[in-house]
Amino acid sequence: MHISDQEYFRSCIARERHLAQLLGHQHIEECYESAGTLWAGNQALPKWTRDWRACGPLMTENGIGVSYDHGPGPDGVARIGSTTVHFADHPTRDRAVMYGIVKELIFLLEHGKLARPLPGFVDVAT
């Protein structure tokens, strides 16, 4: 799967917005230049699919494990819970894993397997 950089960026923002909504943030400003801003308090939307400083806590605080198949290179895959990401579908292996972590957390939240709010994320809706 090869998509443009802009389409990939938008897919990352869409995942981040979706996760924020699942965490109870319903008023997220649509602005791709700053990659989205939570309205209440003007808090920046975390860059969960694009920055390890945002994504790392999601992984460690929720016990998300990652395993790798097919070794290094663009043909490999990462398995994150029930989510599989193909490195060739992402700009880098790091980006593939971050994207997969967010995708897996969305799955867990949508299926009631992660009912608690994620630590470290300030709920500005209250």
Side-chain angles (χ1 to χ4, degrees):
M1 175 176 93
H2 294 284
I3 60 175
S4 73
D5 290 344
Q6 185 176 26
E7 288 174 308
Y8 183 79
F9 177 73
R10 287 180 186 253
S11 73
C12 289
I13 300 303
R15 290 277 181 207
E16 291 165 358
R17 287 174 50 87
H18 189 181
L19 181 55
Q21 289 168 342
L22 289 171
L23 294 172
H25 301 281
Q26 300 306 315
H27 303 289
I28 302 171
E29 184 177 332
E30 182 92 27
C31 89
Y32 286 104
E33 295 80 29
S34 66
T37 302
L38 300 174
W39 279 3
N42 235 9
Q43 178 185 358
L45 183 65
K47 297 177 182 178
W48 291 309
T49 62
R50 299 167 287 134
D51 185 345
W52 275 113
R53 290 172 294 184
C55 186
L58 291 177
M59 185 173 103
T60 59
E61 291 170 0
N62 293 285
I64 304 294
V66 179
S67 64
Y68 301 93
D69 290 334
H70 301 107
D75 296 328
V77 298
R79 299 192 194 290
I80 302 139
S82 63
T83 300
T84 300
V85 290
H86 297 266
F87 298 139
D89 293 342
H90 301 270
T92 66
R93 290 169 59 106
D94 277 354
R95 296 290 295 272
V97 172
M98 287 185 280
Y99 193 92
I101 290 167
V102 170
K103 187 175 178 180
E104 178 66 10
L105 285 171
I106 288 170
F107 172 82
L108 293 172
L109 287 165
E110 287 181 335
H111 291 86
K113 296 179 181 185
L114 186 65
R116 63 183 174 80
L118 298 171
F121 188 76
V122 178
D123 186 0
V124 296
T126 56

